Amino acid sequence: NHTRISEFILVGFKSHPGSQLLLSVLFSTMYIVTVVGNACMILAIRTDSNLHTPMYFFLENLSTLDICYSSVITPRATLAFLLGRRSISHNGCASQMFFFSLFGTTEAFFLAVMAYDRFTAVCNPLLYQVIMSKRLCVLMVMGSYLSGCINCTIQTGFTFSLSFCGRREINHFFCDVAAVIHASCSDTLVNELVMLAVCGSIIVGTALVVFISYGYIIITIVQMPSAESRHKAFSTCSSHMMTICLFFGTVFFMYAQPEATSSPDKSNTISIFYTIVIPMLNPFIYTLRNKEVKGSLKKQLKR
């Protein structure tokens, strides 16, 4: 029978009480850097007409998504470490899971969309403006969010249909799907199969789009006649390649190793990378590797 409880207790990193203040300072610092860095990216792109292209349209949306993604997790975790308030209401946990799954899934689709954009720019430069029309770009962004919404609705709905029988402790610092499922006293086989099928298809599907796109990109770059052309083509893709390696690398590392999810501390540590660290690093990766964005930011600073 379904048992509804009023709240859960998040016990991520509970085994290290002496490090709570350090974690709160670390999390708050990374969150501030994430918000400021991504906000600067958005400002630079919106205020510079030279950056009103499909690539920067996707980059602006990625920065907005990263702010939202980090905001779902980091502020609450920071307060929990600082004040020791680890309880979260039933509805609050469901809401956090919903939005975490929404933004996390959408980011995976965004990276696939951006890989297709770079594939079109490098492999079909003459048709780039025709193929990557404003309408198609908007539809791709909307489709990414729609896919994320479908996934988070399925995951949250299935997870919170379980019984918990008074077991309130969740071995994580936020309401991750797998951690909440493990806290249930119900038979979770169906939930685990659904999570594996849905999340697996999303990760594999988006990763395939990325790898196939960059496979063609690399082949095209190698076949370019001049070294200058190869360097220019590679420089436009290198930032995105670094972001892809960071995001999919940590996700694969998290879910491809059984011991990563069975060990709470290891699971928590890996989760920090793809929920907090990567959204913080993205604006720096794109800024440091992109002369146009750096030029736009310098203009804003002079103003």
Side-chain angles (χ1 to χ4, degrees):
N1 296 324
H2 178 70
T3 302
R4 181 182 176 88
I5 61 176
S6 60
E7 64 179 17
F8 294 97
I9 305 296
L10 298 170
V11 295
F13 298 112
K14 189 177 180 181
S15 58
H16 307 288
S19 64
Q20 300 305 298
L21 179 60
L22 177 61
L23 284 171
S24 66
V25 172
L26 181 63
F27 274 44
S28 60
T29 302
M30 289 192 293
Y31 180 65
I32 292 170
V33 173
T34 298
V35 173
V36 172
N38 283 287
C40 287
M41 286 291 295
I42 295 169
L43 179 65
I45 293 170
R46 287 192 176 182
T47 55
D48 192 337
S49 58
N50 294 323
L51 303 182
H52 293 175
T53 63
M55 181 178 76
Y56 293 108
F57 173 74
F58 294 131
L59 185 54
E60 179 187 348
N61 278 277
L62 179 65
S63 292
T64 304
L65 183 67
D66 280 339
I67 292 175
C68 297
Y69 191 28
S70 185
S71 296
V72 172
I73 307 295
T74 317
R76 202 195 177 287
T78 301
L79 290 175
F81 294 136
L82 184 63
L83 304 177
R85 297 177 181 174
R86 296 178 174 272
S87 62
I88 183 171
S89 68
H90 180 277
N91 291 336
C93 189
S95 298
Q96 188 180 59
M97 181 185 294
F98 180 90
F99 287 107
F100 163 72
S101 299
L102 169 63
F103 297 131
T105 304
T106 303
E107 178 139 350
F109 278 96
F110 264 21
L111 293 176
V113 166
M114 292 172 73
Y116 175 74
D117 172 71
R118 292 298 83 208
F119 159 76
T120 307
V122 174
C123 300
N124 297 289
L126 299 178
L127 297 175
Y128 178 67
Q129 294 297 334
V130 177
I131 296 173
M132 299 303 296
S133 63
K134 186 175 181 180
R135 181 174 179 272
L136 179 61
C137 292
V138 172
L139 287 175
M140 283 181 167
V141 170
M142 292 175 62
S144 298
Y145 274 104
L146 178 61
S147 301
C149 191
I150 292 171
N151 178 50
C152 67
T153 300
I154 293 172
Q155 297 293 351
T156 307
F158 269 82
T159 301
F160 283 89
S161 66
L162 295 171
S163 300
F164 294 95
C165 308
R167 292 179 60 186
R168 300 189 301 159
E169 289 195 349
I170 298 174
N171 282 321
H172 220 304
F173 62 92
F174 68 95
C175 291
D176 190 18
V177 178
V180 176
I181 288 176
H182 289 159
S184 172
C185 60
S186 303
D187 182 0
T188 61
L189 178 61
V190 174
N191 292 71
E192 291 173 3
L193 290 175
V194 169
M195 184 177 69
L196 179 64
V198 176
C199 294
S201 61
I202 290 170
I203 294 171
V204 173
T206 52
L208 278 176
V209 172
V210 168
F211 294 145
I212 292 172
S213 296
Y214 273 95
Y216 279 107
I217 288 171
I218 291 170
I219 292 172
T220 303
I221 291 175
V222 170
Q223 293 176 345
M224 288 180 176
S226 68
E228 183 180 353
S229 298
R230 290 194 295 270
H231 176 75
K232 184 178 180 181
F234 181 76
S235 65
T236 61
C237 300
S238 58
S239 300
H240 187 227
M241 291 173 67
M242 290 175 66
T243 302
I244 287 169
C245 291
L246 284 171
F247 183 83
F248 284 104
T250 52
V251 169
F252 278 129
F253 186 81
M254 176 70 179
Y255 294 103
Q257 299 189 77
E259 66 271 16
T261 53
S262 62
S263 171
D265 284 345
K266 190 171 184 178
S267 176
N268 289 335
T269 303
I270 297 170
S271 297
I272 290 174
F273 281 92
Y274 65 83
T275 58
I276 301 174
V277 175
I278 293 175
M280 178 187 68
L281 292 179
N282 280 347
F284 293 98
I285 292 172
Y286 284 102
T287 302
L288 293 174
R289 300 289 300 176
N290 193 302
K291 294 181 180 179
E292 293 174 316
V293 175
K294 284 191 288 187
S296 179
L297 286 172
K298 287 178 181 178
K299 289 179 183 178
Q300 296 302 319
L301 289 173
K302 288 180 181 179
R303 290 179 184 177

